[in-house]
Amino acid sequence: MQTLALALSALVVLAALSVVGVDAGRLITYPPHISTKRGSYIVEFERHIPHTHVDKFHAMSDIVVDNHYTKAFNGISVSANSHTFDPLQLARFEGVNRVWPVRFYRPAVNLSSLNASADLYLHHVTGVERALTELGLNGTGVSIGIVDSGVDYMHPELGGCWKTPGCPWQRGEDLVGDKYDPASADPIIEPNPTPMDCDGHGTHVSGILAGRGPHVHGVAPGATFGMYRIFSCPVGGQQVQASDALIIKGIEAAFQNGHDIISLSLGSGSWAEDPLSIICAQAVEQGVVVVAAAGNDGMGGLYTASAPSVGAGVISVGSVDNWNITALSGTVTSSQGTQSIVLSPSNSDKYPFDFDSDTPLALPSSDNSNILGCAKYTTDMTGKIALVERGVCRFDAKLKNAYEAGAVGVLCYNNVPGYFAATLSQSTPIPIAGTTNEYGAYIASALAAGNVTIKAPKDNFGLFAAATGGQVSEFSSIGPSPELAMVPLISAPGGNILSTYPRKLGSYASESGTSMATPYISGTVALLKQARPDLSVNGITRLLVASGKPITHLRTGLKASPFESGAGLVNIYDAITSRAELDPPTLSINDSKVGPITGHAEFESLGTVRWAARTISIRNTDSKKSMRVSLDNKVANSLSSMLANGSYAYTPRIWPADGVSKPAADTLPRVHSLDADKLVAPGQSCSVTVFVVAPTGLKDSEHWYYSGFLEFTLQWDGEQTSSAYVVPYGGYNGNYSAQDVLSPPSEGLPAFVDIESGNPIEDLSTLVIGTNETVALVYGLAIPSRRVDITYVDSASGKTVGNPPDGNIQYSERSCPQCSIPFHSIVLSKFASVAGNRSEPSEVPAGKYHIHLKALRPFGDIDNDDDYQTWDSEDFIIS
């Protein structure tokens, strides 16, 4: 419950900005924490409805049609003329499929620091170097549309031109202008003649694709590009954001201009039913490759992959860390000498970690005698920088405790190998920087021997080898999708990537995020399309995934889970030169059976197990040589967001726990097959049926998600070498559709909370809810839920009287202490929405009531009460 006080101060504001509860079905509602534009909606028409259907909406006096989408998406976006407008009017129109509130999206970028040092090793390990040099590819003839913050097209490494003959930038437009403020009730949209970038994100993304050297070498520098600017200039130091209505307009424009590939380094939400997921899926259906960032919420654990990357057919991209980085550097001086250390800035640039002179470092001292910085300090830290270890509490708490003790900054070292950036949600007036576990241990050891200082001048950079090079980036969002689909599909370098930046902002920068991995994959797709122009969108996806290289996890020695990495690191050379096609590209095990594997006497010895059968089709595309097929199971880590005691794991839990002891065989998934050893004639196909057996040695109660890779070794006649092709698989170690949706009881949720103090209300018998909005119901979701319904129930009659405002929600995301959404909440009042009149809640008669909360389990029927997990509160009074 410690996180409640931090977030509830803004609860009333969030509730005021969101849409009041509405009927389930065509009118979609978001939880109150989702940032939406009040009174603005996206309306999706049914696919067969003609474009003239918009005329009916133009005739409505109480709305304005802002955008009419006719290409990849059939629908409109509208704005209401008054706060009393009922969005149900839109949903009730004939031919309307769904209506969503307009919500805001951010770029999928994690941290940044300026530098200008070329690094080509990443092209070596991804096969890009071989594709460029040996195959002579560079993306020529392929058109890529980028929907982002614009581009500094006059940058010398990006062509220095706009729509002139021979210029790489032949398409695109500005859709937003420089004055757009998403926090404004009526944002100003005044597009410029060209999509010049004033933020930096779009130019950085563009360099990864189009950079022509000498500092930045793009993946597909010969392609033709279009930039569709939907992010404006930063306002008040905040990260830029754009509405989904505006992003859809950008995707529509890119689609209309005939791009082969649309690259989207942005995301929010987690459902395939989100508007951006839907438009991207429809673009894919019409032959356009859509590549989208999985997101940067990996520290939140499972189910953090974002829309639109979860859309059907979209290539969802995860991130791996770069092998070499140029980063901010600090100089540590002690009795042991001087040592340069890497410094990772936080997500807030309001208080930079700049110390021009030697500043003393010190370890905190607290009542619990640890160096985590999570408790109130017992020593004076005036004028010093606190050295703390990462973990246990949020970065905001570490910063606050240090500031209250007089510290001038915090240096936080990692509790696992690798780099990280502190994510802050509040503004404490001292800076924080991250460093590695190794550098932290070095400084702690030096402090034990005497005084230690650090000097960190602004824009002081150093070159460092990355201990986690090639590993899944810590920030990279993790799947599966809410209904257990495999996301991400593939990974690319995204951690600490050098690229171009607007000339006014320094010309070059190193940034991290799936935002950076996404254009890398878009570039590889361009190389693949240039080499094999007849491939379908699905064919491209199959080759990318099958040629991926699973990543060996540093700590466990097994493969990193496909729910983190997809098929692993991209290898575009192998994809281009592939002589086989595997279908389906991934296996999502969401329908396991429990019992013996029936019909096959060979498997009787396994006894009762949880298993699923799947069939893989393998086509030999070599026209002259036969192909020998064999199969191996490459086991990957299992993941869980729960500890053994049933409480949340603050970082995703991994099995095996370490690489020291060999895990028991029954704690790992197994794969069996009777027909994997086959000879396939030239141009022919074969089918291989596999039986995937879930780990029997892992407890169902610990909510493990197991995974691995079917590795098919293919060898062609007369050749000494063979090639490995992979099909990632993953499933839930239990009955997926029966698991609990609500947070574990250890979280103390659901709870009634006093909004002003942030404290739980323990005794509801004395609680009186009246006109003033002073009480919130706070609840958590351990997994996403398609529908959450919260109602007032008359305790005397047992009858439901209606939903509190925001009490009927579709497509909710998971919440957890380390997630971007720590918990869900609604404000309680004496008003409730009654079916058929959702926009104007009615006053609830005075009396004794309780809350009935129900959350739909995976794959549940919204009309079947047995498919919900339920919770009932104690009684309270509504006056």
Side-chain angles (χ1 to χ4, degrees):
M1 299 297 289
Q2 293 178 346
T3 57
L4 297 179
L6 295 176
L8 281 170
S9 59
L11 191 59
V12 176
V13 177
L14 287 170
L17 291 175
S18 57
V19 183
V20 287
V22 292
D23 289 325
R26 291 192 293 179
L27 184 53
I28 307 303
T29 53
Y30 295 131
H33 67 269
I34 297 296
S35 178
T36 60
K37 184 179 179 184
R38 185 168 185 171
S40 296
Y41 304 92
I42 294 171
V43 182
E44 179 194 22
F45 300 152
E46 294 174 0
R47 301 286 286 274
H48 67 279
I49 294 297
H51 298 154
T52 54
H53 197 61
V54 70
D55 295 340
K56 297 180 180 180
F57 294 86
H58 279 300
M60 295 177 65
S61 60
D62 44 4
I63 65 167
V64 174
V65 176
D66 298 317
N67 296 291
H68 184 199
Y69 312 116
T70 62
K71 306 302 178 185
F73 184 74
N74 189 17
I76 56 177
S77 66
V78 304
S79 297
N81 292 326
S82 71
H83 295 318
T84 60
F85 176 73
D86 186 352
L88 271 177
Q89 295 179 55
L90 302 172
R92 287 169 177 160
F93 261 94
E94 182 181 357
V96 167
N97 194 28
R98 277 171 288 211
V99 177
W100 299 269
V102 168
R103 72 183 292 175
F104 291 100
Y105 282 67
R106 299 180 187 273
V109 65
N110 204 44
L111 61 91
S112 66
S113 59
L114 299 179
N115 71 87
S117 176
D119 176 21
L120 296 178
Y121 183 71
L122 70 172
H123 286 349
H124 174 73
V125 291
T126 57
V128 168
E129 180 182 74
R130 295 187 72 186
L132 295 175
T133 58
E134 295 180 24
L135 303 180
L137 302 171
N138 64 3
T140 297
V142 181
S143 180
I144 305 173
I146 307 166
V147 182
D148 214 291
S149 68
V151 58
D152 184 352
Y153 46 81
M154 294 306 296
H155 195 293
E157 297 202 36
L158 295 177
C161 56
W162 179 254
K163 293 186 178 180
T164 55
C167 181
W169 302 97
Q170 289 296 324
R171 300 182 180 92
E173 59 185 301
D174 186 353
L175 300 169
V176 64
D178 297 345
K179 300 178 181 178
Y180 183 84
D181 181 359
S184 171
D186 188 20
I188 298 171
I189 297 180
E190 294 180 354
N192 298 316
T194 64
M196 180 58 74
D197 186 10
C198 55
D199 171 66
H201 187 267
T203 301
H204 195 277
V205 163
S206 298
I208 294 168
L209 276 163
R212 299 183 168 196
H215 296 303
V216 178
H217 298 267
V219 178
T224 301
F225 300 95
M227 174 58 74
Y228 302 86
R229 185 182 179 219
I230 47 84
F231 292 119
S232 186
C233 303
V235 177
Q238 298 297 311
Q239 187 182 20
V240 295
Q241 54 182 329
S243 70
D244 47 8
L246 196 56
I247 298 169
I248 290 174
K249 190 173 182 179
I251 296 171
E252 278 265 304
F255 181 87
Q256 185 174 11
N257 280 339
H259 291 291
D260 302 301
I261 304 161
I262 297 177
S263 188
L264 300 168
S265 291
L266 50 83
S268 185
S270 61
W271 286 86
E273 289 79 4
D274 285 353
L276 291 193
S277 297
I278 289 171
I279 184 177
C280 290
Q282 292 178 1
V284 169
E285 285 181 13
Q286 298 179 68
V288 177
V289 181
V290 179
V291 184
N296 297 337
D297 293 318
M299 286 307 297
L302 294 144
Y303 296 108
T304 53
S306 62
S309 80
V310 294
V314 176
I315 298 176
S316 176
V317 183
S319 170
V320 300
D321 285 347
N322 202 350
W323 291 260
N324 300 297
I325 67 167
T326 303
L328 288 169
S329 175
T331 302
V332 173
T333 302
S334 70
S335 60
Q336 300 178 17
T338 61
Q339 172 71 53
S340 293
I341 69 167
V342 67
L343 298 172
S344 300
S346 72
N347 66 326
S348 172
D349 58 5
K350 191 172 183 179
Y351 299 102
F353 196 87
D354 296 340
F355 295 92
D356 292 330
S357 59
D358 289 309
T359 305
L361 283 157
L363 293 168
S365 177
S366 58
D367 290 337
N368 55 3
S369 300
N370 63 45
I371 58 171
L372 292 164
C374 295
K376 186 178 179 67
Y377 290 16
T378 56
T379 54
D380 184 13
M381 298 287 288
T382 300
K384 300 176 182 178
I385 297 171
L387 176 71
V388 302
E389 185 181 13
R390 182 183 185 186
V392 177
C393 62
R394 297 172 72 88
F395 294 116
D396 289 297
K398 295 178 187 288
L399 205 58
K400 180 175 180 288
N401 290 331
Y403 172 69
E404 291 179 349
V408 295
V410 171
L411 180 61
C412 182
Y413 64 93
N414 212 343
N415 52 1
V416 293
Y419 303 97
F420 75 99
T423 301
L424 305 174
S425 58
Q426 292 190 327
S427 180
T428 301
I430 59 172
I432 183 172
T435 193
T436 66
N437 178 269
E438 293 77 11
Y439 289 131
Y442 169 82
I443 297 171
S445 173
L447 281 169
N451 295 330
V452 181
T453 63
I454 185 171
K455 184 177 181 180
K458 182 180 180 181
D459 294 345
N460 182 49
F461 302 99
L463 182 65
F464 300 88
T468 56
Q471 293 289 295
V472 176
S473 300
E474 185 180 59
F475 56 78
S476 191
S477 287
I478 304 172
S481 76
E483 295 185 340
L484 215 55
M486 184 71 72
V487 285
L489 284 178
I490 193 73
S491 293
N496 300 297
I497 304 299
L498 170 72
S499 188
T500 49
Y501 222 55
R503 291 161 298 148
K504 292 182 179 179
L505 299 177
S507 295
Y508 302 94
S510 177
E511 293 198 342
S512 293
T514 50
S515 274
M516 287 63 252
T518 297
Y520 203 98
I521 291 297
S522 297
T524 64
V525 171
L527 301 180
L528 182 54
K529 283 189 71 69
Q530 181 188 4
R532 304 176 68 166
D534 295 332
L535 282 172
S536 66
V537 175
N538 289 338
I540 288 169
T541 300
R542 288 195 294 266
L543 289 183
L544 275 182
V545 172
S547 58
K549 306 306 173 192
I551 298 163
T552 300
H553 193 275
L554 280 179
R555 186 151 51 94
T556 68
L558 298 183
K559 301 302 180 184
S561 170
F563 291 132
E564 296 178 289
S565 66
L569 183 64
V570 66
N571 190 299
I572 194 59
Y573 179 85
D574 285 358
I576 292 168
T577 58
S578 170
R579 288 182 285 168
E581 294 179 357
L582 282 67
D583 192 45
T586 65
L587 300 181
S588 295
I589 314 298
N590 55 17
D591 58 350
S592 299
K593 300 176 182 179
V594 177
I597 299 179
T598 56
H600 301 280
E602 297 89 341
F603 301 143
E604 289 180 358
S605 61
L606 296 176
T608 298
V609 291
R610 179 174 285 109
W611 63 277
R614 294 289 190 273
T615 298
I616 308 296
S617 172
I618 306 175
R619 179 170 173 259
N620 179 9
T621 59
D622 193 305
S623 61
K624 297 180 179 180
K625 296 182 178 181
S626 295
M627 175 184 75
R628 173 67 64 184
V629 178
S630 61
L631 171 64
D632 191 16
N633 176 35
K634 296 296 183 182
V635 177
N637 296 333
S638 292
L639 303 176
S640 177
S641 293
M642 299 291 179
L643 298 174
N645 63 8
S647 62
Y648 276 129
Y650 270 75
T651 57
R653 190 177 171 207
I654 296 175
W655 180 263
D658 56 58
V660 176
S661 56
K662 185 177 180 180
D666 65 354
T667 65
L668 305 175
R670 290 168 285 173
V671 173
H672 301 274
S673 179
L674 298 175
D675 55 1
D677 189 4
K678 293 188 173 183
L679 184 66
V680 185
Q684 299 302 305
S685 299
C686 73
S687 294
V688 176
T689 298
V690 296
F691 298 87
V692 180
V693 179
T696 55
L698 297 180
K699 296 178 181 178
D700 290 7
S701 61
E702 295 185 19
H703 302 280
W704 289 102
Y705 292 74
Y706 64 87
S707 58
F709 299 85
L710 305 180
E711 184 178 85
F712 290 94
T713 299
L714 309 182
Q715 188 165 13
W716 282 264
D717 282 350
E719 298 182 11
Q720 297 300 313
T721 59
S722 59
S723 300
Y725 292 74
V726 297
V727 176
Y729 69 85
Y732 175 70
N733 195 42
N735 185 341
Y736 188 63
S737 61
Q739 65 176 313
D740 285 346
V741 181
L742 298 176
S743 297
S746 59
E747 295 302 303
L749 300 176
F752 288 72
V753 176
D754 179 83
I755 292 175
E756 184 174 347
S757 69
N759 294 323
I761 300 172
E762 303 291 352
D763 185 6
L764 297 189
S765 65
T766 60
L767 175 62
V768 178
I769 295 177
T771 303
N772 295 331
E773 296 179 333
T774 61
V775 178
L777 176 70
V778 179
Y779 63 98
L781 296 178
I783 58 175
S785 178
R786 186 174 289 272
R787 183 180 181 187
V788 175
D789 192 55
I790 301 167
T791 54
Y792 285 136
V793 178
D794 186 317
S795 296
S797 66
K799 294 182 178 179
T800 298
V801 298
N803 301 103
D806 301 302
N808 187 299
I809 305 154
Q810 290 89 8
Y811 304 113
S812 287
E813 300 161 42
R814 174 177 177 258
S815 58
C816 74
Q818 290 290 92
C819 296
S820 57
I821 306 164
F823 51 80
H824 296 273
S825 56
I826 65 168
V827 177
L828 301 178
S829 72
K830 63 185 299 182
F831 297 95
S833 300
V834 182
N837 184 20
R838 297 298 184 181
S839 63
E840 296 182 9
S842 305
E843 187 170 328
V844 176
K848 185 178 290 187
Y849 295 87
H850 66 270
I851 289 286
H852 179 69
L853 184 157
K854 62 179 186 178
L856 190 65
R857 300 183 195 273
F859 305 115
D861 180 351
I862 61 172
D863 296 320
N864 185 354
D865 283 344
D866 291 338
D867 288 346
Y868 289 83
Q869 182 184 2
T870 62
W871 173 85
D872 290 278
S873 75
E874 297 176 357
D875 291 344
F876 53 87
I877 301 296
I878 294 181
S879 63

